[in-house]
Amino acid sequence: MEKILEVKDLSVSFQTYGGEVQAVRNVNFDLYKGETLAIVGESGSGKSVTTQTIMKLIPMPPGKIKSGQILFEGKDIVPLSDKQMEKVRGKEISMIFQDPMTSLNPTMKIGRQIMEGLIKHQNMSTSSAKERAIEMLRLVGIPMPERRVNQYPHEFSGGMRQRAMIAIALAANPKLLIADEPTTALDVTIQAQILELMKDLQSKMNTSIIFITHDLGVVANVADRVAVMYGGQIVETGTVDEIFYDPRHPYTWGLLASMPSLENDDKSELAAIPGTPPDLTNPPKGDAFAARNPYAMQIDFEEEPPLFQISETHFAKTWLLHPDAPAVEPPDAVKRRMRKLSSTFDKPVLVKGGK
């Protein structure tokens, strides 16, 4: 498969009154054409800053790209000016934001908001752009698009506004779509519809997608690969099957254990990850997760672990994978979740221990 995006050793910081916040620290990942990569983590883990940096949307200052490269189709976009990035945003890379009500212009008709990018990036006439806007509204499942194209955002429901945002993002046929928590503000029924819509549109348009979420539960049916972020770093990456059925990092175990389940047949309480994320104005010396990790060893507080390779596609940043580390199995809550997932999707549970 051909790579469309390579992020190499990316570090991003923000100057604040409390000091320099090291929001993203030496992040590396790739994205292939037609692939969906989910970036998962708690609020403050650095996932949204990472993707906004790809779009060059972080305010500079106070934000600063300290180091690294962002190669889009082999070209580093980090040195590009705002003027140069205007030719990339919308046309080559588009973004769906979390809250469509604040992202859409309340004073402009939906159709006009779709047409703007088409007129600017594809030099369409007003009439051709309007036809394309109607086509896009129809494509994303909005009924009566000929009428809806002349309506304002407040006349749309929450789910329809999110569909309109997707129509705006995909109108110019971008090669890369970044979806920043696009279903967080929606109820579960509409959330499922939007996720299914994105899968369907991707298969039709062959767009590469980066899907940002704090909810590991929405990932299983959306992504091809998953990158788990914590403390501004990627701590585990692998295929969806590897992350759900063979997780290796204790933080990934915590995310899996805290996923709510409709089949609460064991009557167990929902697990929670103890403690709070690290203060990134003064990042921990060793493993960023050590203070919240019940399996932490002395070395976790002294030295940052490398990414250990588990398979060709699976890596985890934890000293538990060192050959000299004690064998540690995932907690019972994670094993229960994996068994439920395995029975639901007819997949084998791969984990036998901590190595």
Side-chain angles (χ1 to χ4, degrees):
M1 291 175 68
E2 187 179 350
K3 291 180 184 177
I4 190 169
L5 182 74
E6 295 177 74
V7 175
K8 296 184 175 181
D9 298 319
L10 181 66
S11 293
V12 182
S13 66
F14 293 87
Q15 286 294 337
T16 70
Y17 290 115
E20 182 184 18
V21 178
Q22 299 179 43
V24 175
R25 303 187 292 147
N26 298 315
V27 162
N28 293 272
F29 65 86
D30 301 325
L31 180 70
Y32 295 87
K33 288 190 175 180
E35 179 188 42
T36 297
L37 172 70
I39 302 181
V40 183
E42 294 169 288
S43 296
S45 61
K47 56 192 188 299
S48 290
V49 173
T50 299
T51 51
Q52 287 175 17
T53 303
I54 293 171
M55 290 285 287
K56 299 291 290 290
L57 289 176
I58 61 168
M60 295 189 285
K64 179 183 179 182
I65 300 175
K66 295 183 68 177
S67 64
Q69 294 179 300
I70 301 170
L71 303 177
F72 178 68
E73 294 191 316
K75 181 181 179 180
D76 189 5
I77 62 176
V78 168
L80 297 186
S81 66
D82 282 342
K83 191 71 175 175
Q84 291 171 316
M85 277 302 295
E86 286 179 5
K87 298 178 181 179
V88 177
R89 297 191 197 107
K91 183 179 180 181
E92 305 287 346
I93 307 174
S94 279
M95 194 164 191
I96 304 170
F97 294 96
Q98 182 171 341
D99 185 356
M101 199 57 196
T102 56
S103 301
L104 293 169
N105 186 334
T107 67
M108 189 183 292
K109 292 177 180 178
I110 290 291
R112 190 69 195 178
Q113 296 188 55
I114 300 174
M115 292 162 60
E116 271 192 326
L118 297 171
I119 293 169
K120 179 176 181 178
H121 294 301
Q122 298 194 358
N123 298 317
M124 281 190 180
S125 65
T126 302
S127 59
S128 296
K130 187 170 183 178
E131 288 179 12
R132 175 65 171 166
I134 293 170
E135 178 189 335
M136 288 305 302
L137 290 177
R138 184 178 291 112
L139 186 64
V140 298
I142 291 180
M144 297 178 289
E146 292 85 359
R147 182 163 68 90
R148 295 291 189 180
V149 77
N150 293 314
Q151 292 184 327
Y152 292 91
H154 73 269
E155 298 178 85
F156 280 40
S157 67
M160 287 173 63
R161 284 194 291 266
Q162 195 58 280
R163 288 172 185 268
M165 281 291 298
I166 295 172
I168 293 169
L170 293 177
N173 294 319
K175 297 173 183 176
L176 170 59
L177 176 66
I178 299 173
D180 190 356
E181 307 229 26
T183 61
T184 299
L186 306 174
D187 65 58
V188 291
T189 304
I190 304 301
Q191 184 181 90
Q193 293 175 7
I194 295 297
L195 293 175
E196 190 61 36
L197 170 65
M198 291 184 65
K199 281 179 60 180
D200 182 54
L201 291 175
Q202 184 187 33
S203 66
K204 290 177 180 176
M205 305 178 77
N206 199 36
T207 304
S208 302
I209 297 177
I210 297 178
F211 192 96
I212 307 299
T213 182
H214 65 273
D215 183 359
L216 201 54
V218 306
V219 166
N221 293 319
V222 175
D224 301 300
R225 288 189 300 125
V226 181
V228 180
M229 282 196 79
Y230 182 80
Q233 300 177 322
I234 291 179
V235 297
E236 186 163 9
T237 182
T239 65
V240 166
D241 283 359
E242 287 167 337
I243 297 300
F244 276 88
Y245 306 116
D246 189 19
R248 298 302 183 97
H249 197 285
Y251 180 61
T252 311
W253 295 349
L255 291 178
L256 281 167
S258 61
M259 283 171 54
S261 173
L262 294 176
E263 300 88 19
N264 193 23
D265 48 22
D266 55 15
K267 305 300 180 186
S268 58
E269 292 185 4
L270 193 64
I273 303 173
T276 57
D279 178 4
L280 294 182
T281 57
N282 185 26
K285 180 181 178 183
D287 186 345
F289 190 60
R292 304 174 72 186
N293 182 5
Y295 311 98
M297 301 172 285
Q298 186 62 37
I299 193 172
D300 285 299
F301 296 93
E302 298 172 351
E303 190 174 338
E304 184 178 313
L307 270 174
F308 289 93
Q309 184 170 359
I310 301 148
S311 73
E312 188 176 335
T313 55
H314 194 183
F315 299 82
K317 192 181 179 71
T318 172
W319 285 115
L320 290 176
L321 292 172
H322 191 279
D324 296 332
V328 175
E329 292 192 3
D332 290 341
V334 177
K335 291 180 179 178
R336 285 195 298 270
R337 177 48 46 84
M338 290 163 61
R339 282 195 294 270
K340 286 180 180 178
L341 289 168
S342 297
S343 61
T344 301
F345 296 105
D346 193 26
K347 298 274 188 178
V349 176
L350 302 177
V351 164
K352 298 186 177 80
K355 295 184 180 181

